mmCIF file of all heavy atoms in Angstrom:
data_model
loop_
_atom_site.group_PDB
_atom_site.id
_atom_site.type_symbol
_atom_site.label_atom_id
_atom_site.label_comp_id
_atom_site.label_asym_id
_atom_site.label_seq_id
_atom_site.Cartn_x
_atom_site.Cartn_y
_atom_site.Cartn_z
ATOM 1 N N LEU A 73 -8.515 15.881 3.482
ATOM 2 C CA LEU A 73 -7.274 15.527 2.771
ATOM 3 C C LEU A 73 -6.776 16.643 1.863
ATOM 4 O O LEU A 73 -5.580 16.748 1.611
ATOM 5 C CB LEU A 73 -7.476 14.263 1.922
ATOM 6 C CG LEU A 73 -7.708 12.950 2.649
ATOM 7 C CD1 LEU A 73 -7.733 11.793 1.649
ATOM 8 C CD2 LEU A 73 -6.649 12.675 3.714
ATOM 9 N N ARG A 82 -0.664 14.722 9.673
ATOM 10 C CA ARG A 82 -0.489 13.315 10.045
ATOM 11 C C ARG A 82 0.236 13.267 11.378
ATOM 12 O O ARG A 82 1.445 13.089 11.421
ATOM 13 C CB ARG A 82 0.330 12.618 8.964
ATOM 14 C CG ARG A 82 -0.418 12.533 7.663
ATOM 15 C CD ARG A 82 0.231 11.581 6.733
ATOM 16 N NE ARG A 82 1.517 12.037 6.286
ATOM 17 C CZ ARG A 82 2.072 11.650 5.148
ATOM 18 N NH1 ARG A 82 1.443 10.809 4.373
ATOM 19 N NH2 ARG A 82 3.250 12.090 4.799
ATOM 20 N N TRP A 87 0.878 7.672 13.989
ATOM 21 C CA TRP A 87 2.034 8.038 13.167
ATOM 22 C C TRP A 87 3.355 7.914 13.906
ATOM 23 O O TRP A 87 4.413 7.898 13.290
ATOM 24 C CB TRP A 87 1.855 9.459 12.609
ATOM 25 C CG TRP A 87 0.760 9.485 11.594
ATOM 26 C CD1 TRP A 87 -0.526 9.922 11.797
ATOM 27 C CD2 TRP A 87 0.807 8.999 10.251
ATOM 28 N NE1 TRP A 87 -1.265 9.752 10.656
ATOM 29 C CE2 TRP A 87 -0.471 9.189 9.687
ATOM 30 C CE3 TRP A 87 1.803 8.428 9.460
ATOM 31 C CZ2 TRP A 87 -0.777 8.831 8.379
ATOM 32 C CZ3 TRP A 87 1.499 8.068 8.159
ATOM 33 C CH2 TRP A 87 0.218 8.270 7.635
ATOM 34 N N ILE A 98 9.487 11.544 4.047
ATOM 35 C CA ILE A 98 8.289 11.904 3.272
ATOM 36 C C ILE A 98 7.007 11.395 3.944
ATOM 37 O O ILE A 98 5.919 11.847 3.620
ATOM 38 C CB ILE A 98 8.389 11.368 1.825
ATOM 39 C CG1 ILE A 98 7.241 11.928 0.976
ATOM 40 C CG2 ILE A 98 8.422 9.842 1.781
ATOM 41 C CD1 ILE A 98 7.428 11.882 -0.489
ATOM 42 N N LEU A 99 7.141 10.513 4.910
ATOM 43 C CA LEU A 99 5.931 10.017 5.577
ATOM 44 C C LEU A 99 5.542 10.854 6.801
ATOM 45 O O LEU A 99 4.679 10.454 7.576
ATOM 46 C CB LEU A 99 6.105 8.547 5.984
ATOM 47 C CG LEU A 99 6.291 7.579 4.816
ATOM 48 C CD1 LEU A 99 6.444 6.156 5.299
ATOM 49 C CD2 LEU A 99 5.119 7.670 3.838
ATOM 50 N N THR A 100 6.207 12.014 6.983
ATOM 51 C CA THR A 100 5.832 12.854 8.129
ATOM 52 C C THR A 100 5.040 14.060 7.632
ATOM 53 O O THR A 100 4.314 13.973 6.646
ATOM 54 C CB THR A 100 7.077 13.316 8.900
ATOM 55 O OG1 THR A 100 7.961 13.949 7.978
ATOM 56 C CG2 THR A 100 7.777 12.165 9.571
ATOM 57 N N TRP A 105 8.730 16.874 5.565
ATOM 58 C CA TRP A 105 7.925 16.211 4.532
ATOM 59 C C TRP A 105 8.030 16.978 3.210
ATOM 60 O O TRP A 105 8.259 16.378 2.153
ATOM 61 C CB TRP A 105 6.458 16.129 4.983
ATOM 62 C CG TRP A 105 5.540 15.890 3.812
ATOM 63 C CD1 TRP A 105 5.388 14.726 3.129
ATOM 64 C CD2 TRP A 105 4.715 16.864 3.162
ATOM 65 N NE1 TRP A 105 4.504 14.910 2.081
ATOM 66 C CE2 TRP A 105 4.075 16.212 2.082
ATOM 67 C CE3 TRP A 105 4.441 18.220 3.390
ATOM 68 C CZ2 TRP A 105 3.188 16.875 1.237
ATOM 69 C CZ3 TRP A 105 3.560 18.866 2.547
ATOM 70 C CH2 TRP A 105 2.947 18.203 1.481
ATOM 71 N N ARG A 109 9.287 15.508 -0.264
ATOM 72 C CA ARG A 109 8.293 15.398 -1.352
ATOM 73 C C ARG A 109 8.823 16.105 -2.611
ATOM 74 O O ARG A 109 8.690 15.598 -3.717
ATOM 75 C CB ARG A 109 6.971 16.008 -0.884
ATOM 76 C CG ARG A 109 5.899 16.060 -1.938
ATOM 77 C CD ARG A 109 4.799 15.052 -1.716
ATOM 78 N NE ARG A 109 4.004 14.881 -2.903
ATOM 79 C CZ ARG A 109 3.084 13.954 -3.076
ATOM 80 N NH1 ARG A 109 2.840 13.081 -2.125
ATOM 81 N NH2 ARG A 109 2.406 13.851 -4.182
ATOM 82 N N LEU A 112 11.456 13.804 -4.065
ATOM 83 C CA LEU A 112 11.063 12.458 -4.500
ATOM 84 C C LEU A 112 10.010 12.445 -5.601
ATOM 85 O O LEU A 112 10.017 11.573 -6.467
ATOM 86 C CB LEU A 112 10.545 11.661 -3.296
ATOM 87 C CG LEU A 112 11.638 11.139 -2.365
ATOM 88 C CD1 LEU A 112 11.047 10.658 -1.062
ATOM 89 C CD2 LEU A 112 12.397 9.991 -3.031
ATOM 90 N N PHE A 116 9.200 9.851 -9.504
ATOM 91 C CA PHE A 116 8.167 8.833 -9.687
ATOM 92 C C PHE A 116 7.123 9.264 -10.710
ATOM 93 O O PHE A 116 6.010 8.777 -10.713
ATOM 94 C CB PHE A 116 7.533 8.476 -8.332
ATOM 95 C CG PHE A 116 8.496 7.715 -7.459
ATOM 96 C CD1 PHE A 116 9.280 8.376 -6.515
ATOM 97 C CD2 PHE A 116 8.661 6.348 -7.603
ATOM 98 C CE1 PHE A 116 10.198 7.683 -5.740
ATOM 99 C CE2 PHE A 116 9.574 5.646 -6.830
ATOM 100 C CZ PHE A 116 10.341 6.318 -5.892
ATOM 101 N N SER A 266 11.448 4.768 3.959
ATOM 102 C CA SER A 266 10.028 5.090 3.751
ATOM 103 C C SER A 266 9.517 4.523 2.438
ATOM 104 O O SER A 266 8.448 3.920 2.378
ATOM 105 C CB SER A 266 9.814 6.604 3.698
ATOM 106 O OG SER A 266 10.176 7.156 4.909
ATOM 107 N N ILE A 267 10.283 4.730 1.378
ATOM 108 C CA ILE A 267 9.824 4.255 0.069
ATOM 109 C C ILE A 267 9.789 2.729 0.054
ATOM 110 O O ILE A 267 8.865 2.121 -0.477
ATOM 111 C CB ILE A 267 10.762 4.740 -1.066
ATOM 112 C CG1 ILE A 267 10.817 6.263 -1.107
ATOM 113 C CG2 ILE A 267 10.332 4.188 -2.408
ATOM 114 C CD1 ILE A 267 9.621 6.913 -1.695
ATOM 115 N N ALA A 270 6.621 1.910 1.935
ATOM 116 C CA ALA A 270 5.366 2.336 1.303
ATOM 117 C C ALA A 270 5.109 1.588 0.004
ATOM 118 O O ALA A 270 3.966 1.451 -0.421
ATOM 119 C CB ALA A 270 5.408 3.845 1.024
ATOM 120 N N SER A 271 6.167 1.093 -0.639
ATOM 121 C CA SER A 271 5.941 0.512 -1.957
ATOM 122 C C SER A 271 5.898 -1.010 -1.944
ATOM 123 O O SER A 271 5.168 -1.601 -2.724
ATOM 124 C CB SER A 271 7.030 0.974 -2.919
ATOM 125 O OG SER A 271 8.282 0.556 -2.439
ATOM 126 N N GLY A 272 6.641 -1.630 -1.028
ATOM 127 C CA GLY A 272 6.754 -3.088 -1.092
ATOM 128 C C GLY A 272 5.502 -3.781 -0.609
ATOM 129 O O GLY A 272 4.822 -4.488 -1.366
ATOM 130 N N THR A 274 2.501 -2.685 0.232
ATOM 131 C CA THR A 274 1.225 -2.313 -0.397
ATOM 132 C C THR A 274 1.004 -3.111 -1.691
ATOM 133 O O THR A 274 -0.079 -3.652 -1.908
ATOM 134 C CB THR A 274 1.202 -0.817 -0.757
ATOM 135 O OG1 THR A 274 2.452 -0.464 -1.327
ATOM 136 C CG2 THR A 274 0.923 0.054 0.441
ATOM 137 N N THR A 275 2.038 -3.176 -2.511
ATOM 138 C CA THR A 275 1.879 -3.840 -3.810
ATOM 139 C C THR A 275 1.667 -5.345 -3.634
ATOM 140 O O THR A 275 0.770 -5.932 -4.254
ATOM 141 C CB THR A 275 3.128 -3.563 -4.683
ATOM 142 O OG1 THR A 275 3.284 -2.150 -4.784
ATOM 143 C CG2 THR A 275 2.995 -4.148 -6.057
ATOM 144 N N ALA A 278 -1.819 -5.943 -2.173
ATOM 145 C CA ALA A 278 -2.870 -5.677 -3.162
ATOM 146 C C ALA A 278 -3.024 -6.887 -4.076
ATOM 147 O O ALA A 278 -4.139 -7.362 -4.322
ATOM 148 C CB ALA A 278 -2.523 -4.440 -3.990
ATOM 149 N N LEU A 328 -8.717 -2.503 -6.151
ATOM 150 C CA LEU A 328 -8.311 -1.490 -5.171
ATOM 151 C C LEU A 328 -9.518 -0.744 -4.583
ATOM 152 O O LEU A 328 -9.404 -0.073 -3.574
ATOM 153 C CB LEU A 328 -7.344 -0.484 -5.796
ATOM 154 C CG LEU A 328 -5.965 -1.033 -6.171
ATOM 155 C CD1 LEU A 328 -5.129 0.044 -6.871
ATOM 156 C CD2 LEU A 328 -5.215 -1.538 -4.937
ATOM 157 N N PRO A 332 -8.471 -1.832 -0.710
ATOM 158 C CA PRO A 332 -7.345 -0.884 -0.779
ATOM 159 C C PRO A 332 -6.328 -1.172 0.338
ATOM 160 O O PRO A 332 -6.678 -1.114 1.519
ATOM 161 C CB PRO A 332 -8.027 0.476 -0.527
ATOM 162 C CG PRO A 332 -9.261 0.145 0.266
ATOM 163 C CD PRO A 332 -9.692 -1.234 -0.148
ATOM 164 N N PRO A 333 -5.079 -1.512 -0.006
ATOM 165 C CA PRO A 333 -4.099 -1.826 1.053
ATOM 166 C C PRO A 333 -3.874 -0.658 2.019
ATOM 167 O O PRO A 333 -3.721 -0.853 3.205
ATOM 168 C CB PRO A 333 -2.819 -2.126 0.277
ATOM 169 C CG PRO A 333 -3.259 -2.442 -1.097
ATOM 170 C CD PRO A 333 -4.512 -1.669 -1.350
ATOM 171 N N GLY A 334 -3.848 0.585 1.488
ATOM 172 C CA GLY A 334 -3.709 1.753 2.380
ATOM 173 C C GLY A 334 -5.098 2.082 2.908
ATOM 174 O O GLY A 334 -5.705 3.055 2.499
ATOM 175 N N TRP A 335 -5.572 1.239 3.814
ATOM 176 C CA TRP A 335 -7.001 1.264 4.162
ATOM 177 C C TRP A 335 -7.332 2.379 5.159
ATOM 178 O O TRP A 335 -8.476 2.770 5.294
ATOM 179 C CB TRP A 335 -7.399 -0.093 4.750
ATOM 180 C CG TRP A 335 -6.934 -0.267 6.162
ATOM 181 C CD1 TRP A 335 -5.657 -0.493 6.558
ATOM 182 C CD2 TRP A 335 -7.726 -0.182 7.333
ATOM 183 N NE1 TRP A 335 -5.605 -0.557 7.913
ATOM 184 C CE2 TRP A 335 -6.872 -0.381 8.420
ATOM 185 C CE3 TRP A 335 -9.092 0.023 7.584
ATOM 186 C CZ2 TRP A 335 -7.315 -0.357 9.733
ATOM 187 C CZ3 TRP A 335 -9.535 0.045 8.893
ATOM 188 C CH2 TRP A 335 -8.651 -0.142 9.952
ATOM 189 N N MET A 336 -6.317 2.921 5.857
ATOM 190 C CA MET A 336 -6.612 3.906 6.900
ATOM 191 C C MET A 336 -5.629 5.069 6.841
ATOM 192 O O MET A 336 -4.426 4.861 6.798
ATOM 193 C CB MET A 336 -6.517 3.192 8.263
ATOM 194 C CG MET A 336 -6.764 4.077 9.446
ATOM 195 S SD MET A 336 -8.367 4.900 9.394
ATOM 196 C CE MET A 336 -9.475 3.588 9.856
ATOM 197 N N MET A 337 -6.174 6.283 6.792
ATOM 198 C CA MET A 337 -5.324 7.480 6.809
ATOM 199 C C MET A 337 -5.748 8.353 7.980
ATOM 200 O O MET A 337 -6.615 9.207 7.830
ATOM 201 C CB MET A 337 -5.521 8.270 5.512
ATOM 202 C CG MET A 337 -5.023 7.556 4.311
ATOM 203 S SD MET A 337 -5.629 8.358 2.814
ATOM 204 C CE MET A 337 -6.269 6.931 1.982
ATOM 205 N N PRO A 338 -5.172 8.134 9.146
ATOM 206 C CA PRO A 338 -5.596 8.927 10.302
ATOM 207 C C PRO A 338 -5.035 10.349 10.229
ATOM 208 O O PRO A 338 -3.924 10.554 9.747
ATOM 209 C CB PRO A 338 -4.976 8.188 11.489
ATOM 210 C CG PRO A 338 -4.272 7.008 10.931
ATOM 211 C CD PRO A 338 -4.108 7.199 9.473
ATOM 212 N N ARG A 339 -5.814 11.286 10.695
ATOM 213 C CA ARG A 339 -5.389 12.681 10.739
ATOM 214 C C ARG A 339 -5.776 13.269 12.093
ATOM 215 O O ARG A 339 -6.686 12.773 12.749
ATOM 216 C CB ARG A 339 -6.090 13.506 9.652
ATOM 217 C CG ARG A 339 -5.740 13.130 8.227
ATOM 218 C CD ARG A 339 -4.289 13.455 7.914
ATOM 219 N NE ARG A 339 -3.980 13.431 6.502
ATOM 220 C CZ ARG A 339 -3.463 12.393 5.846
ATOM 221 N NH1 ARG A 339 -3.211 11.261 6.474
ATOM 222 N NH2 ARG A 339 -3.193 12.482 4.555
ATOM 223 N N PRO A 362 -10.419 4.550 2.667
ATOM 224 C CA PRO A 362 -11.002 4.267 1.350
ATOM 225 C C PRO A 362 -11.866 3.007 1.365
ATOM 226 O O PRO A 362 -12.867 2.941 0.667
ATOM 227 C CB PRO A 362 -9.792 4.100 0.435
ATOM 228 C CG PRO A 362 -8.591 4.064 1.303
ATOM 229 C CD PRO A 362 -8.958 4.587 2.645
ATOM 230 N N PHE A 397 -10.550 6.657 -3.587
ATOM 231 C CA PHE A 397 -9.225 7.253 -3.332
ATOM 232 C C PHE A 397 -8.253 6.228 -2.734
ATOM 233 O O PHE A 397 -7.668 6.455 -1.685
ATOM 234 C CB PHE A 397 -9.339 8.507 -2.442
ATOM 235 C CG PHE A 397 -10.011 8.277 -1.110
ATOM 236 C CD1 PHE A 397 -9.267 8.199 0.069
ATOM 237 C CD2 PHE A 397 -11.386 8.158 -1.016
ATOM 238 C CE1 PHE A 397 -9.875 7.986 1.301
ATOM 239 C CE2 PHE A 397 -12.006 7.948 0.222
ATOM 240 C CZ PHE A 397 -11.245 7.858 1.371
ATOM 241 N N PRO A 398 -8.026 5.094 -3.435
ATOM 242 C CA PRO A 398 -7.105 4.090 -2.892
ATOM 243 C C PRO A 398 -5.684 4.625 -2.729
ATOM 244 O O PRO A 398 -4.911 4.077 -1.943
ATOM 245 C CB PRO A 398 -7.140 2.971 -3.938
ATOM 246 C CG PRO A 398 -7.632 3.610 -5.179
ATOM 247 C CD PRO A 398 -8.541 4.721 -4.759
ATOM 248 N N PHE A 399 -5.338 5.701 -3.451
ATOM 249 C CA PHE A 399 -3.994 6.279 -3.323
ATOM 250 C C PHE A 399 -4.030 7.597 -2.557
ATOM 251 O O PHE A 399 -3.098 8.404 -2.644
ATOM 252 C CB PHE A 399 -3.386 6.487 -4.712
ATOM 253 C CG PHE A 399 -3.103 5.192 -5.439
ATOM 254 C CD1 PHE A 399 -3.977 4.706 -6.397
ATOM 255 C CD2 PHE A 399 -1.969 4.447 -5.143
ATOM 256 C CE1 PHE A 399 -3.722 3.503 -7.052
ATOM 257 C CE2 PHE A 399 -1.701 3.241 -5.797
ATOM 258 C CZ PHE A 399 -2.583 2.765 -6.749
ATOM 259 N N GLY A 400 -5.100 7.835 -1.796
ATOM 260 C CA GLY A 400 -5.201 9.056 -1.001
ATOM 261 C C GLY A 400 -5.586 10.244 -1.867
ATOM 262 O O GLY A 400 -6.168 10.086 -2.956
ATOM 263 N N GLY A 401 -5.234 11.444 -1.408
ATOM 264 C CA GLY A 401 -5.591 12.636 -2.167
ATOM 265 C C GLY A 401 -4.952 13.861 -1.552
ATOM 266 O O GLY A 401 -4.343 13.792 -0.472
ATOM 267 N N PRO A 403 -2.296 17.017 -0.998
ATOM 268 C CA PRO A 403 -0.825 17.102 -1.077
ATOM 269 C C PRO A 403 -0.096 15.817 -0.696
ATOM 270 O O PRO A 403 1.073 15.653 -1.047
ATOM 271 C CB PRO A 403 -0.492 18.217 -0.071
ATOM 272 C CG PRO A 403 -1.752 18.996 0.049
ATOM 273 C CD PRO A 403 -2.880 18.043 -0.135
ATOM 274 N N HIS A 404 -0.762 14.896 0.020
ATOM 275 C CA HIS A 404 -0.093 13.636 0.380
ATOM 276 C C HIS A 404 -0.415 12.499 -0.580
ATOM 277 O O HIS A 404 -0.093 11.334 -0.286
ATOM 278 C CB HIS A 404 -0.467 13.211 1.801
ATOM 279 C CG HIS A 404 0.167 14.066 2.854
ATOM 280 N ND1 HIS A 404 1.522 14.131 3.033
ATOM 281 C CD2 HIS A 404 -0.381 14.921 3.756
ATOM 282 C CE1 HIS A 404 1.790 14.979 4.023
ATOM 283 N NE2 HIS A 404 0.655 15.475 4.470
ATOM 284 N N LEU A 405 -1.055 12.826 -1.697
ATOM 285 C CA LEU A 405 -1.378 11.803 -2.698
ATOM 286 C C LEU A 405 -0.166 10.901 -2.938
ATOM 287 O O LEU A 405 0.965 11.389 -3.055
ATOM 288 C CB LEU A 405 -1.757 12.509 -4.011
ATOM 289 C CG LEU A 405 -2.105 11.599 -5.184
ATOM 290 C CD1 LEU A 405 -3.451 10.926 -4.951
ATOM 291 C CD2 LEU A 405 -2.159 12.399 -6.483
ATOM 292 N N CYS A 406 -0.428 9.609 -3.000
ATOM 293 C CA CYS A 406 0.650 8.631 -3.185
ATOM 294 C C CYS A 406 1.517 8.992 -4.404
ATOM 295 O O CYS A 406 0.990 9.284 -5.473
ATOM 296 C CB CYS A 406 0.018 7.257 -3.412
ATOM 297 S SG CYS A 406 1.206 5.962 -3.739
ATOM 298 N N ILE A 407 2.825 8.928 -4.218
ATOM 299 C CA ILE A 407 3.695 9.211 -5.372
ATOM 300 C C ILE A 407 3.988 7.934 -6.169
ATOM 301 O O ILE A 407 4.649 7.987 -7.192
ATOM 302 C CB ILE A 407 5.044 9.856 -4.947
ATOM 303 C CG1 ILE A 407 5.817 8.924 -4.017
ATOM 304 C CG2 ILE A 407 4.838 11.210 -4.300
ATOM 305 C CD1 ILE A 407 7.257 9.378 -3.783
ATOM 306 N N GLY A 408 3.463 6.800 -5.680
ATOM 307 C CA GLY A 408 3.844 5.528 -6.297
ATOM 308 C C GLY A 408 2.843 4.969 -7.290
ATOM 309 O O GLY A 408 2.996 3.833 -7.747
ATOM 310 N N GLN A 409 1.829 5.765 -7.667
ATOM 311 C CA GLN A 409 0.775 5.220 -8.547
ATOM 312 C C GLN A 409 1.312 4.728 -9.889
ATOM 313 O O GLN A 409 0.948 3.670 -10.361
ATOM 314 C CB GLN A 409 -0.266 6.297 -8.842
ATOM 315 C CG GLN A 409 -1.214 6.521 -7.710
ATOM 316 C CD GLN A 409 -2.297 7.513 -8.121
ATOM 317 O OE1 GLN A 409 -3.212 7.164 -8.839
ATOM 318 N NE2 GLN A 409 -2.175 8.736 -7.667
ATOM 319 N N LEU A 411 4.287 3.820 -10.567
ATOM 320 C CA LEU A 411 5.111 2.639 -10.336
ATOM 321 C C LEU A 411 4.215 1.410 -10.172
ATOM 322 O O LEU A 411 4.448 0.356 -10.765
ATOM 323 C CB LEU A 411 5.974 2.848 -9.089
ATOM 324 C CG LEU A 411 7.051 1.802 -8.833
ATOM 325 C CD1 LEU A 411 8.056 1.783 -9.973
ATOM 326 C CD2 LEU A 411 7.788 2.066 -7.525
ATOM 327 N N PHE A 412 3.148 1.574 -9.375
ATOM 328 C CA PHE A 412 2.236 0.442 -9.166
ATOM 329 C C PHE A 412 1.632 -0.016 -10.494
ATOM 330 O O PHE A 412 1.619 -1.209 -10.800
ATOM 331 C CB PHE A 412 1.115 0.809 -8.186
ATOM 332 C CG PHE A 412 0.093 -0.293 -8.057
ATOM 333 C CD1 PHE A 412 0.359 -1.424 -7.295
ATOM 334 C CD2 PHE A 412 -1.117 -0.236 -8.750
ATOM 335 C CE1 PHE A 412 -0.562 -2.465 -7.208
ATOM 336 C CE2 PHE A 412 -2.038 -1.278 -8.671
ATOM 337 C CZ PHE A 412 -1.765 -2.386 -7.896
ATOM 338 N N GLU A 415 4.407 -1.866 -12.423
ATOM 339 C CA GLU A 415 4.930 -3.080 -11.804
ATOM 340 C C GLU A 415 3.860 -4.182 -11.729
ATOM 341 O O GLU A 415 4.119 -5.343 -12.090
ATOM 342 C CB GLU A 415 5.385 -2.675 -10.396
ATOM 343 C CG GLU A 415 5.988 -3.738 -9.557
ATOM 344 C CD GLU A 415 6.292 -3.191 -8.152
ATOM 345 O OE1 GLU A 415 5.866 -2.060 -7.820
ATOM 346 O OE2 GLU A 415 6.940 -3.919 -7.392
HETATM 347 C C1 HEM B 525 -1.225 -0.604 -4.329
HETATM 348 C C2 HEM B 525 -0.197 0.134 -4.053
HETATM 349 C C3 HEM B 525 -0.251 1.372 -3.216
HETATM 350 C C4 HEM B 525 -1.272 1.901 -2.476
HETATM 351 C C5 HEM B 525 -2.669 1.338 -2.289
HETATM 352 C C6 HEM B 525 -0.784 3.123 -1.871
HETATM 353 C C7 HEM B 525 -1.543 3.941 -1.065
HETATM 354 C C8 HEM B 525 -1.135 5.146 -0.552
HETATM 355 C C9 HEM B 525 -1.961 6.062 0.196
HETATM 356 C C10 HEM B 525 -3.407 5.823 0.564
HETATM 357 C C11 HEM B 525 -1.202 7.150 0.517
HETATM 358 C C12 HEM B 525 -1.664 8.389 1.282
HETATM 359 C C13 HEM B 525 -1.259 8.356 2.741
HETATM 360 C C14 HEM B 525 -1.813 9.522 3.508
HETATM 361 O O1 HEM B 525 -2.504 10.383 2.963
HETATM 362 O O2 HEM B 525 -1.564 9.576 4.728
HETATM 363 C C15 HEM B 525 0.111 6.900 0.001
HETATM 364 C C16 HEM B 525 1.181 7.745 0.154
HETATM 365 C C17 HEM B 525 2.438 7.448 -0.273
HETATM 366 N N1 HEM B 525 2.809 6.380 -1.088
HETATM 367 FE FE1 HEM B 525 1.646 4.916 -1.760
HETATM 368 N N2 HEM B 525 0.510 3.312 -2.246
HETATM 369 C C18 HEM B 525 0.874 2.272 -3.071
HETATM 370 C C19 HEM B 525 2.066 2.095 -3.699
HETATM 371 C C20 HEM B 525 3.139 2.926 -3.537
HETATM 372 C C21 HEM B 525 4.396 2.772 -4.218
HETATM 373 C C22 HEM B 525 4.713 1.704 -5.265
HETATM 374 C C23 HEM B 525 5.217 3.742 -3.752
HETATM 375 C C24 HEM B 525 6.623 3.958 -4.204
HETATM 376 C C25 HEM B 525 7.136 5.083 -4.468
HETATM 377 C C26 HEM B 525 4.461 4.530 -2.780
HETATM 378 C C27 HEM B 525 4.940 5.620 -2.071
HETATM 379 C C28 HEM B 525 4.161 6.466 -1.295
HETATM 380 C C29 HEM B 525 4.692 7.615 -0.564
HETATM 381 C C30 HEM B 525 6.147 8.048 -0.501
HETATM 382 C C31 HEM B 525 3.602 8.238 0.070
HETATM 383 C C32 HEM B 525 3.625 9.482 0.954
HETATM 384 C C33 HEM B 525 3.360 10.708 0.113
HETATM 385 C C34 HEM B 525 3.274 11.983 0.930
HETATM 386 O O3 HEM B 525 2.825 11.949 2.068
HETATM 387 O O4 HEM B 525 3.635 13.033 0.388
HETATM 388 N N3 HEM B 525 3.209 4.012 -2.682
HETATM 389 N N4 HEM B 525 0.140 5.687 -0.680
#
Side-chain angles (χ1 to χ4, degrees):
L73 293 186
R82 293 194 293 205
W87 291 101
I98 189 161
L99 297 180
T100 54
W105 161 74
R109 175 107 196 171
L112 283 167
F116 290 95
S266 297
I267 300 284
S271 60
T274 43
T275 304
L328 292 176
W335 76 286
M336 179 57 76
M337 293 167 230
R339 295 293 194 264
F397 57 104
F399 293 99
H404 288 296
L405 179 71
C406 177
I407 60 169
Q409 283 185 77
L411 189 62
F412 175 77
E415 181 184 9

